Amino acid sequence: MTLKTQMAKLGLFDAKVPRYTSYPTAPHFSPDVGADFFTQSVAAIPEGAAISLYLHVPFCRRLCWFCACRTQGTQTLSPVQSYVQTLLAELTMLKARLPASVRLSRLHWGGGTPTLLSPEMMQTLCEAIFDVAPLAEGGEFSVEIDPNEVDADRLAVLVRYGMNRASVGMQDFDPQIQETIGRPQSYALTREVVQMIRAAGVQSLNADILFGLPDQTPERIKDSVEKLIALGPDRVALYGYAHVPWMAKRQQMIPADRLPTPQERLGLYEGAEALFTAAGYDSIGIDHFALPSDGLARAAQAGRLRRNFQGYTDDQADVLIGLGASAISRFPQGYAQNAPATSAYATAIAEGRFATSRGHVMSVEDQTNARLIERLMCDFSVDAAALELPITETQTRFEQINARFDHLLQVQGGRLDIPTELRPLTRMVARAFDTYAAGAQHSAAI
């Protein structure tokens, strides 16, 4: 029996499983968790702590059909200006409740298209954010940049306020695929923007690329990956396209009959992975790559890799506060998500209350499972002793899970490891630790 036949037998090519950027995952958040939980969790942050801040800008000049993010199209800056005013009010409310001397270990602007903001809006937001909390020494300020929606003036403002990592969405450079997914973006334009980012003094560059897109072939993804490598990003996220048209209606524009099969998706990933590793990138977790000098690679080597809503990170902060419509905050006590609709979010803030509309309060069992899943997703290994869990009880649980995978995992002495050749099964193994796995639709396991 070949390895792929074994993985097929275990359900790899049929399974729908979470990406585990949180545990429990967002579909299992409850509307019973509201603004009081968020306020109490903020008040419980220790004085002087380093926290992360995520700012969500849910606007795009055009909506890419492949995207499942919570965004809306706009041809003018009028709704964006109104939204920025709401963000400023939310920041004022947050400042009034944050304990003293809190610093930002990470600040990330995502969306949507954060670079849709005018230079003046960017400056106003930066000043308000850093009035709430300064960037810690060694902290990171990163922004998602759409090459179709950025210029030197906007870059200059971001760099002046400390942006030291840019994240550029590239997806795929094949013109036919770009047309099919509604994301025209020439390689020449992307290269020009990358050169502009470097010339502005930004030291670190992230890039996103997708596999599993319609009409994607091994030859086409090879061409795109080679072009991407030529741009010299410090780290790359190689995400599998998640076709979830029941959740993201715009994906109904994607021709499902032209999507690669699950077996072909695995081949596309493996081909891209070989190119990145041959170019000197370390393989990080299930879908990231980083140069050995990058902080992500160093964190992975040291066993300090973490996973959050942006994917893999080297950020060690226990608290991540999300600002804006649909943004999710993570506390040791649990999760709090703002109202997804911009109107509901703006109404809450205008009424002087935080916009939390749902979330999850972590039980002791949740905290244990979250730690197990995170380490598995980051290290392909979990160690009961390292996590200070009862070894005998945990060993029994590992053995039961291993039995579900035909005893192909490695289990010994309170430790579970996924062999290198079986790492495509990682999300499925993680699901075995998930007590909430039933009752929600997810993307393909590969």
Side-chain angles (χ1 to χ4, degrees):
M1 184 182 296
T2 67
L3 181 62
K4 285 187 179 178
T5 302
Q6 285 181 310
M7 291 194 290
K9 180 174 175 284
L10 291 169
L12 175 64
F13 300 124
D14 303 305
K16 306 290 186 182
V17 291
R19 294 180 184 268
Y20 289 113
T21 53
S22 71
Y23 180 81
T25 56
H28 299 287
F29 291 176
S30 167
D32 294 336
V33 175
D36 287 347
F37 172 78
F38 177 86
T39 303
Q40 293 162 8
S41 298
V42 168
I45 297 171
E47 289 190 7
I51 68 170
S52 295
L53 198 67
Y54 171 73
L55 184 145
H56 187 64
V57 179
F59 296 96
C60 295
R61 194 78 66 183
R62 70 187 190 292
L63 297 177
C64 303
W65 301 335
F66 70 89
C67 181
C69 297
R70 184 83 188 195
T71 58
Q72 60 195 77
T74 181
Q75 294 303 308
T76 73
L77 287 182
S78 177
V80 183
Q81 179 65 61
S82 176
Y83 182 79
V84 167
Q85 293 303 310
T86 304
L87 284 172
L88 295 174
E90 187 179 20
L91 281 162
T92 298
M93 292 166 57
L94 178 63
K95 180 182 178 181
R97 291 161 177 82
L98 268 181
S101 305
V102 166
R103 298 157 294 123
L104 301 180
S105 63
R106 296 290 187 277
L107 170 62
H108 183 73
W109 292 12
T113 309
T115 48
L116 185 74
L117 300 175
S118 69
E120 294 75 19
M121 293 179 194
M122 290 179 172
Q123 177 173 331
T124 300
L125 272 175
C126 285
E127 290 177 351
I129 289 168
F130 294 127
D131 182 56
V132 172
L135 198 64
E137 183 177 354
E140 193 172 277
F141 176 13
S142 58
V143 178
E144 294 175 12
I145 292 176
D146 179 351
N148 293 292
E149 194 66 54
V150 71
D151 56 30
D153 289 343
R154 285 177 278 189
L155 269 181
V157 172
L158 293 172
V159 170
R160 185 164 73 248
Y161 283 91
M163 182 182 75
N164 50 16
R165 181 176 291 279
S167 184
V168 181
M170 301 182 185
Q171 321 319 334
D172 191 285
F173 290 119
D174 185 277
Q176 179 184 332
I177 294 176
Q178 290 182 354
E179 181 179 354
T180 304
I181 65 175
R183 175 62 178 251
Q185 179 182 317
S186 71
Y187 180 67
L189 172 65
T190 307
R191 182 177 56 205
E192 178 184 334
V193 168
V194 167
Q195 291 170 347
M196 191 190 328
I197 290 169
R198 295 293 197 193
V202 178
Q203 298 300 310
S204 301
L205 179 68
N206 294 8
D208 293 348
I209 188 168
L210 294 175
F211 71 93
L213 292 170
D215 301 323
Q216 211 171 39
T217 64
E219 295 74 24
R220 282 176 165 167
I221 199 170
K222 179 177 184 292
D223 182 65
S224 287
V225 169
E226 288 175 341
K227 287 177 176 175
L228 173 54
I229 290 171
L231 298 177
D234 300 270
R235 67 177 71 161
V236 177
L238 175 61
Y239 291 127
Y241 166 61
H243 192 61
V244 288
W246 60 85
M247 184 179 76
K249 299 302 183 185
R250 73 191 73 165
Q251 288 189 353
Q252 294 174 4
M253 301 289 291
I254 301 288
D257 59 340
R258 287 157 58 187
L259 292 170
T261 67
Q263 292 85 348
E264 289 169 339
R265 283 172 64 96
L266 180 57
L268 292 168
Y269 177 85
E270 290 176 337
E273 177 186 39
L275 291 170
F276 284 122
T277 54
Y281 289 83
D282 289 350
S283 180
I284 309 292
I286 63 169
D287 54 17
H288 280 50
F289 300 87
L291 294 175
S293 58
D294 186 81
L296 202 65
R298 296 197 302 270
Q301 286 291 330
R304 294 184 294 102
L305 193 64
R306 301 291 304 275
R307 190 157 172 82
N308 65 18
F309 300 106
Q310 282 78 58
Y312 289 105
T313 179
D314 53 353
D315 182 24
Q316 302 301 304
D318 291 329
V319 171
L320 184 155
I321 293 179
L323 300 172
S326 80
I328 301 175
S329 298
R330 183 198 68 215
F331 302 98
Q333 301 92 332
Y335 299 96
Q337 182 173 19
N338 280 348
T342 53
S343 57
Y345 158 73
T347 296
I349 300 301
E351 293 175 353
R353 54 187 174 85
F354 288 110
T356 306
S357 65
R358 63 185 194 134
H360 182 83
V361 179
M362 299 286 275
S363 67
V364 173
E365 181 186 18
D366 290 337
Q367 292 171 342
T368 296
N369 290 337
R371 293 164 66 204
L372 287 165
I373 288 172
E374 183 177 42
R375 295 298 5 117
L376 192 70
M377 294 293 296
C378 291
D379 306 330
F380 306 106
S381 173
V382 280
D383 188 330
L387 295 178
E388 299 181 343
L389 298 175
I391 293 178
T392 301
E393 178 183 326
T394 307
Q395 170 76 9
T396 299
R397 188 180 187 189
F398 289 170
E399 289 172 351
Q400 292 170 343
I401 289 171
N402 194 19
R404 302 186 205 176
F405 291 89
D406 290 348
H407 300 282
L408 294 173
L409 310 178
Q410 296 170 353
V411 175
Q412 186 174 8
R415 181 183 174 100
L416 181 149
D417 293 274
I418 302 175
T420 301
E421 64 274 13
L422 295 177
R423 287 180 179 176
L425 296 170
T426 299
R427 287 165 59 197
M428 294 179 62
V429 179
R431 183 180 58 180
F433 293 95
D434 185 348
T435 61
Y436 299 90
Q441 291 181 295
H442 297 287
S443 59
I446 186 65

